[in-house]
Amino acid sequence: MATLELPGLIDIHVHLRDPGATHKEDFATGTAAALAGGVVAVVDMPNNSPPTVDEQTLRHKLGLASQKARCDFAFYLGATANNATQAPANGHVAGLKIYLDETYGPLRVQSLSTLMAHFKYWPRNRPIAAHAEGLSTAVVIGLAQLYDRRVHICHVSRKSEIELVKQAKERGASITCEVTPHHLLLTEKDAKELGGYGQMKPSLGTLEDGEALWANLAIIDAVASDHAPHTKEEKEGRTPPPGVPGLETTLPLLLNAVAHGRLSLERLVQLTHDGPARILGVRAPEAASVEVDPEATYALRGAQLLTKCGWTPFEGMMVQGRVRRVYLRGAKVYEDGQVVARPGSGRPLELA
Ligand code: NCD
Ligand code: ZN
Ligand code: ZN
Ligand code: ZN
C-alpha cells in the first residue's frame, strides 16, 4: 500500500467557539479535529460571544488560542456598525469578515453606509471576506469594484452565485471564493432527511446548484469546511442553530472525489493549500504534511470524530482515502486516531 504525501491543509473558515460557546468546541478540541483531518492551520471566524470585533476581544482570543491550539491559527475581525475606522489591532488578523445575511450570531451588517465605510477603511493589503447569499453576492462584488479592492466570498452555494463570480472574474474583478464540502456533496433532499443536522447557512441547494459548483471548480479558489459545530441537543431542539462540523471530513471527502475521478490530486492541493494561503496572504506552516492511505475505504462516523460535537452530516457515507499521519514543523502531530500535539503547540500564522 503506497502512502501519499500532501502539504498540510489550510482551512480558512472555521468556528472554534472559543470564547463563549466552549460546550460546542474549544481551541484544544477544534484543533485536534483539525489535525485529524490533515489541517495544520485554521482561520477562525469572529462570531464568538462576545464577538471578536476590537483590540480587547482579539487579544483575549489570541491568549486562548496560544494556550490551547494544537495547530497554527489566525483570526478574522468581525465588522460592526461602529468599528470601520478602527485598524486591526494585531498582526494575527488575516482579514475582515462581514456578514451581510442572517446566520448564527449577532454580527450582521445591513446598512449601506456601514458597508461603504468598511470597504473604504479596511487596510488594502488585507482581504474582506463576506457571508453573502443571493443578491448580497452582487452587492459585495459591486463594492469591491467601486472601492477597487479585494473581496473573498465565503461558502458559495448556488448556481446563480457561482455564475456571477465567474462573470466578475472574467471581467478582471479582484475576487476570490470558497466552497464547502457539504454544498458540493449534499442537497436539500439530504437536508430534509437530516432534520436539524442538515441545517446550515447557506442552506443546502438543489442537485443543480451542487453540479454547478463542480462544473465551475476551475474558478473556485479554495475549499473550506465552515466547521460550525453545535451540540446534538441543540440540533435536536425546536430551533436548531445553523451550522455543521467539517474539519475532519473535508479531506476524506475530497480524496474520495479524487478516487472517483471528480477531481485531480493536483487540484485538491490547490484548493486546500495553495489557494487558501494565497487568498489570505498567509505563509503556510513549515514542514507540514499529511500522509494519506489513498486505498482505505470506510464509513464516516460522527462517534469517531474528535470534534466536541460528535456528529457529522455525512454519517455513514463511504469514502476512500484516510489520513494516517500529520506533521507540523517536522514533528509528528497526529497518527492513526491519536493526536500527539499538545495544546499550546500551535502558533499564529505568519501573514505574508
Ligand atoms: C455558522 C456558525 O454556526 O457559526 N453557521 C453556519 O450555518 N454556517 C455561521 C456562518 O458561517 O454563517
Ligand atoms: Zn506548503
Ligand atoms: Zn457564513
Ligand atoms: Zn462560517
Side-chain angles (χ1 to χ4, degrees):
M1 168 198 67
T3 58
L4 196 68
E5 189 175 317
L6 303 173
L9 278 65
I10 301 172
D11 191 334
I12 61 171
H13 189 153
V14 306
H15 304 263
L16 299 190
R17 310 302 193 200
D18 203 350
T22 51
H23 64 291
K24 300 176 196 274
E25 196 79 284
D26 61 41
F27 276 116
T29 58
T31 54
L35 293 176
V39 175
V40 296
V42 292
V43 188
D44 192 52
M45 287 293 173
N47 61 335
N48 295 90
S49 59
T52 314
V53 295
D54 56 21
E55 181 144 12
Q56 195 197 331
T57 47
L58 269 172
R59 222 186 297 119
H60 183 52
K61 196 188 239 191
L62 179 62
L64 294 168
S66 302
Q67 279 173 15
K68 300 195 214 177
R70 306 172 199 259
C71 74
D72 291 1
F73 54 84
F75 311 130
Y76 290 93
L77 184 80
T80 71
N82 44 41
N83 69 354
T85 53
Q86 178 193 306
N90 66 45
H92 313 301
V93 180
L96 179 74
K97 177 68 182 287
I98 309 184
Y99 292 89
L100 283 90
D101 300 285
E102 181 60 38
T103 186
Y104 181 69
L107 286 174
R108 185 176 181 188
V109 170
Q110 284 175 286
S111 128
L112 179 59
S113 59
T114 300
L115 276 179
M116 288 163 69
H118 282 292
F119 273 79
K120 179 170 175 194
Y121 291 111
W122 183 251
R124 305 197 74 76
N125 61 335
R126 291 276 122 216
I128 291 177
H131 177 126
E133 300 185 39
L135 287 176
S136 304
T137 310
V139 170
V140 292
I141 291 174
L143 287 169
Q145 296 271 65
L146 288 172
Y147 285 85
D148 191 22
R149 59 170 313 146
R150 207 148 58 79
V151 74
H152 174 69
I153 304 178
C154 299
H155 46 46
V156 173
S157 70
R158 295 298 188 270
K159 183 172 192 236
S160 52
E161 295 167 359
I162 197 65
E163 283 177 348
L164 195 71
V165 168
K166 181 164 186 250
Q167 285 181 45
K169 284 191 167 206
E170 282 168 1
R171 289 182 143 232
S174 183
I175 58 173
T176 54
C177 72
E178 72 190 31
V179 298
T180 69
H182 47 273
H183 292 117
L184 284 170
L185 296 166
L186 300 176
T187 67
E188 54 190 12
K189 199 164 151 276
D190 298 298
K192 275 207 191 81
E193 283 163 24
L194 288 163
Y197 293 110
Q199 289 196 29
M200 76 284 288
K201 297 285 189 171
S203 63
L204 292 172
T206 63
L207 194 60
E208 203 188 352
D209 288 321
E211 289 307 316
L213 299 180
W214 283 105
N216 285 295
L217 216 51
I219 61 120
I220 290 167
D221 300 276
V223 169
S225 68
D226 192 8
H227 180 80
H230 298 285
T231 65
K232 290 181 183 177
E233 196 183 8
E234 289 161 344
K235 283 301 212 179
E236 288 170 15
R238 281 205 314 142
T239 47
V244 297
L247 271 167
E248 287 155 276
T249 47
T250 297
L251 182 53
L253 289 165
L254 293 179
L255 288 168
N256 189 58
V258 171
H260 289 82
R262 297 192 92 178
L263 184 70
S264 70
L265 207 51
E266 188 186 11
R267 192 75 191 112
L268 183 155
V269 171
Q270 288 168 353
L271 290 166
T272 58
H273 175 272
D274 311 356
R278 172 175 48 83
I279 290 167
L280 290 179
V282 295
R283 246 187 288 281
E286 286 190 7
S289 59
V290 190
E291 278 177 28
V292 155
D293 175 356
E295 306 288 331
T297 301
Y298 59 103
L300 295 173
R301 296 286 172 207
Q304 288 168 9
L305 300 179
L306 299 179
T307 172
K308 203 178 268 190
C309 74
W311 60 273
T312 169
F314 298 103
E315 181 69 33
M317 192 179 282
M318 293 299 294
V319 290
Q320 182 183 334
R322 190 195 283 280
V323 175
R324 296 289 315 275
R325 277 173 284 274
V326 182
Y327 297 86
L328 176 55
R329 282 179 279 285
K332 189 166 66 186
V333 287
Y334 172 88
E335 181 167 24
D336 293 333
Q338 301 297 320
V339 175
V340 183
R342 307 242 158 244
S345 56
R347 293 192 196 161
L349 274 174
E350 270 178 60
L351 306 183

